[in-house]
Amino acid sequence: MADSIYKAIRKEHDMTRDDVCDMAVDLGKPMQPERLERIENGKFNIHPEEVILLSEIYKEPALCNHYCSKVCEIGQKYVP
């Protein structure tokens, strides 16, 4: 199974889950490493606010576009 986009981008940035979660705390939006792992492995659905947080941490606004066009029901129906 291929890595999810969230895991692939984290790896591209050479970050651990703990690194990401530490940065989330610094931004005042805590995230547990276990939750991030489950999101990355497709066991939990990611929430929109978590997509925004990860896009800020990785400086990858394309994550929001991906979510809106591939995951969000509204985006899939109304956004080309």
Side-chain angles (χ1 to χ4, degrees):
M1 180 169 112
D3 286 345
S4 70
I5 189 168
Y6 309 106
K7 187 174 187 177
I9 289 178
R10 178 178 58 77
K11 287 180 172 184
E12 283 176 22
H13 288 271
D14 197 29
M15 297 175 74
T16 66
R17 290 186 186 102
D18 287 331
D19 294 335
V20 173
C21 293
D22 288 346
M23 291 182 76
V25 168
D26 292 344
L27 292 171
K29 301 172 186 175
M31 176 184 274
Q32 296 298 316
E34 296 82 11
R35 174 145 181 89
L36 180 56
E37 176 185 9
R38 290 179 177 117
I39 289 168
E40 289 180 345
N41 292 327
K43 293 179 181 175
F44 283 176
N45 291 329
I46 192 166
H47 298 140
E49 61 274 8
E50 293 168 326
V51 176
I52 294 168
L53 174 62
L54 293 178
S55 74
E56 290 172 1
I57 289 171
Y58 302 137
K59 296 180 178 37
E60 296 276 353
L63 278 178
C64 294
N65 185 19
H66 175 270
Y67 177 83
C68 290
S69 64
K70 304 288 184 198
V71 179
C72 174
E73 224 176 291
I74 295 168
Q76 288 176 343
K77 185 170 183 174
Y78 296 107
V79 179

